[in-house]
Amino acid sequence: NTPGANANAVKELVIAAMLVASRDILGGADWVQEQAHTPKVELTQAVEKGKSAFAGPELYHKTLGIIGFGRIGQALGRMAKGLGMEVIAYNRSHVPGIEERMGMKYVELDELFARADFISLHTPSLGGVKLISRENIAKMKDGVVIINTSRGDNVDERDLLEALNAGKVRAAGLDVYTEEPSANAALYSHPNVSCTPHIGAATKEAQQRIGTEIVEIIQGFGK
């Protein structure tokens, strides 16, 4: 077990997913490709329409709710603070010094659901308990963005898809799924969902850190 070795990699993926969701980067890229063969006059008009169609919110001054405030959650919180976000966090046990040392606020789960513009999950599997469910989504702001890089079974995919179709959830970024590889085509092909194939720790640097820590742990046996 090498806790924390992948914290930087995961936090960067979460920030990327938040930016993709807020600015509809994937939709914008598709739109540009679709205009490739448009006549110049029509393209100029289309570009102006495209700019307004893809206008989205900034992360600056938005509230990020982090559920699970271990090494990854704390690393994400520090990066989000650097982007000018307000960070609130929920953990099953209160993390000492979260307010004073980290400048982030500990809140209960229902308050996090009610206040957060973005919600990112960083908890282990909860034994079938769904953090993202129809009941909890109803407590959230309209237009909330949900990011999951933790465990697939923390999200009820049917309830998330329903909320996306209704517009209650504006967008989602998913790196983990109930089944892997995901068989939920309706979810991963949704225009407001960005999906990655469980690559939270898939950076060269993270893999190097994981390998180094494993070696150190093995060397430590018997000392």
Side-chain angles (χ1 to χ4, degrees):
N1 184 28
T2 57
N6 65 345
N8 283 329
V10 176
K11 77 177 182 184
E12 290 183 4
L13 183 64
V14 172
I15 295 294
M18 290 165 59
L19 288 167
V20 165
S22 62
R23 304 300 297 273
D24 193 10
I25 291 172
L26 299 181
D30 289 342
W31 184 88
V32 169
Q33 292 181 21
E34 290 168 3
Q35 309 309 312
H37 303 292
T38 303
K40 188 173 181 179
V41 174
E42 294 180 22
L43 182 58
T44 301
Q45 297 172 344
V47 167
E48 293 305 314
K49 292 181 180 178
K51 286 180 179 179
S52 59
F54 293 105
E58 298 178 358
L59 302 187
Y60 185 63
H61 280 185
K62 300 302 187 298
T63 299
L64 170 62
I66 301 173
I67 302 178
F69 207 60
R71 291 175 177 85
I72 296 173
Q74 291 174 31
L76 172 62
R78 287 190 289 270
M79 179 171 272
K81 289 281 288 184
L83 292 172
M85 301 187 79
E86 179 186 1
V87 179
I88 57 177
Y90 169 81
N91 202 65
R92 283 182 289 183
S93 58
H94 188 179
V95 178
I98 181 174
E99 293 89 357
E100 301 82 2
R101 181 165 50 87
M102 301 180 191
M104 306 170 203
K105 185 177 180 183
Y106 178 88
V107 297
E108 294 298 333
L109 195 54
D110 281 354
E111 182 179 348
L112 185 147
F113 287 143
R115 290 180 52 190
D117 300 296
F118 295 82
I119 295 174
S120 188
L121 306 185
H122 298 281
T123 69
S125 177
L126 301 176
V129 176
K130 307 294 185 184
L131 282 167
I132 305 303
S133 63
R134 182 181 291 108
E135 178 184 1
N136 286 337
I137 290 171
K139 302 172 185 176
M140 300 175 190
K141 287 183 175 181
D142 291 344
V144 66
V145 174
I146 295 171
I147 311 295
N148 187 22
T149 58
S150 60
R151 295 292 181 268
D153 62 0
N154 286 335
V155 173
D156 187 311
E157 293 184 351
R158 181 176 58 185
D159 290 353
L160 175 59
L161 181 60
E162 178 183 273
L164 284 160
N165 288 334
K168 174 70 176 182
V169 174
R170 186 166 59 81
L174 305 174
D175 188 48
V176 290
Y177 311 90
T178 302
E179 297 179 80
E180 295 188 13
S182 176
N184 193 340
L187 183 61
Y188 67 65
S189 63
H190 193 282
N192 294 334
V193 175
S194 65
C195 293
T196 47
H198 205 152
I199 59 170
T203 65
K204 294 178 181 178
E205 294 86 351
Q207 293 304 307
Q208 178 65 44
R209 286 191 294 269
I210 290 169
T212 299
E213 287 192 24
I214 289 173
V215 170
E216 291 173 351
I217 291 169
I218 293 172
Q219 289 176 335
F221 285 113
K223 287 186 177 180

